[in-house]
Amino acid sequence: MARVTRPLRVLIVDDDALVRAGLSLMLDGTAGIAVAGEAADGDEVSAAADAHAPDVVLMDLRMPRVDGITATRRLRARTNPPEVVVLTTFDSDENILRALRAGASGFLLKDTPPDEIVQAVLRVAAGDPILSPRITRRLMDRAAVEAGAHQRARAALDRLTPRENDVVLAIARGRSNAEIAAELFMGVATVKAHVSSVLTKLGLDNRTQIALLAHDAGLA
């Protein structure tokens, strides 16, 4: 976690000069916070961090040369790195997860009310990760869907024989019928019979669906 001193030093990273100006005006008007510097692209972030020693970085995602996720990953790899709050209009699940995996401590949308952005900066500086309510709900919904898919897949595979499960795992690994036959010491005709049985028992149409089911079950 960043070592926080007062005033809290914030670096604003966004390729839109108007956005930087608006954020700077808002944050500089808040007691205990000072805008230490700005950067217009991800490739400027390391130098700006060296020059301004920020405690928190407000990071845009889409920038012309180096995106915010790459810049966040580079920052978080530093000794005593600043905390990073992503502030973006792009709220796809992929962007959210990639940003969090890169080390961001927060993810906010640009339509977040100004006072909530200020509070997010203060909270992440104190070691309290923050997500906008809309993002939190989406991640919870995604987790629930994935958990449900996993449980359903496991229940489906429990209806198969051990040998059929061996065939399912081999299919998930991309093996052909001949390769499965060689690996499992059975004839190709027997493999085909097992595949047909799996499709019938599970109500599936093809091998791709078998592979997807294995993936949902955590086998591949």
Side-chain angles (χ1 to χ4, degrees):
M1 187 180 72
R3 294 176 183 172
V4 179
T5 59
R6 289 292 182 260
L8 188 70
R9 298 173 62 79
V10 178
L11 174 67
I12 299 171
V13 183
D14 198 295
D15 63 334
D16 189 325
L18 289 177
V19 171
R20 296 198 307 273
L23 290 171
S24 182
L25 182 64
M26 176 185 69
L27 293 170
D28 263 339
T30 302
I33 295 179
V35 175
E38 300 179 6
D41 201 281
D43 64 355
E44 301 174 7
V45 171
S46 293
D50 287 337
H52 304 297
D55 303 302
V56 176
V57 177
L58 281 178
M59 182 78 73
D60 190 19
L61 280 188
R62 299 284 182 89
M63 291 177 283
R65 297 185 296 275
V66 174
D67 64 79
I69 291 173
T70 300
T72 296
R73 188 178 297 110
R74 291 174 181 173
L75 277 178
R76 296 300 296 167
R78 297 163 66 98
T79 301
N80 192 30
E83 302 292 348
V84 176
V85 176
V86 169
L87 187 62
T88 182
T89 57
F90 301 99
D91 63 342
S92 71
D93 290 353
E94 180 183 2
N95 281 335
I96 298 165
L97 294 173
R98 287 180 64 211
L100 296 178
R101 287 168 179 157
S105 297
F107 196 108
L108 300 176
L109 301 178
K110 285 184 176 178
D111 61 2
T112 300
D115 61 324
E116 292 183 19
I117 295 176
V118 170
Q119 288 303 310
V121 169
L122 295 172
R123 287 179 61 179
V124 299
D128 186 11
I130 184 73
L131 297 175
S132 68
R134 193 192 322 173
I135 298 302
T136 301
R137 170 52 56 189
R138 285 181 55 175
L139 292 180
M140 290 174 64
D141 290 344
R142 177 180 175 129
V145 169
E146 290 180 347
H150 175 77
Q151 292 170 356
R152 289 191 295 272
R154 295 298 304 184
L157 294 180
D158 285 344
R159 291 155 50 194
L160 304 179
T161 67
R163 206 56 169 162
E164 287 169 345
N165 271 293
D166 290 339
V167 171
V168 166
L169 182 57
I171 290 173
R173 291 172 175 165
R175 304 294 194 264
S176 66
N177 285 344
E179 290 170 332
I180 295 172
E183 289 181 5
L184 300 182
F185 303 103
M186 63 176 69
V188 172
T190 303
V191 173
K192 291 180 178 179
H194 282 312
V195 172
S196 178
S197 177
V198 169
L199 292 172
T200 299
K201 285 184 178 181
L202 302 185
L204 302 178
D205 296 323
N206 53 52
R207 295 166 69 97
T208 299
Q209 291 180 349
I210 293 176
L212 289 173
L213 187 71
H215 178 272
D216 286 343
L219 300 181

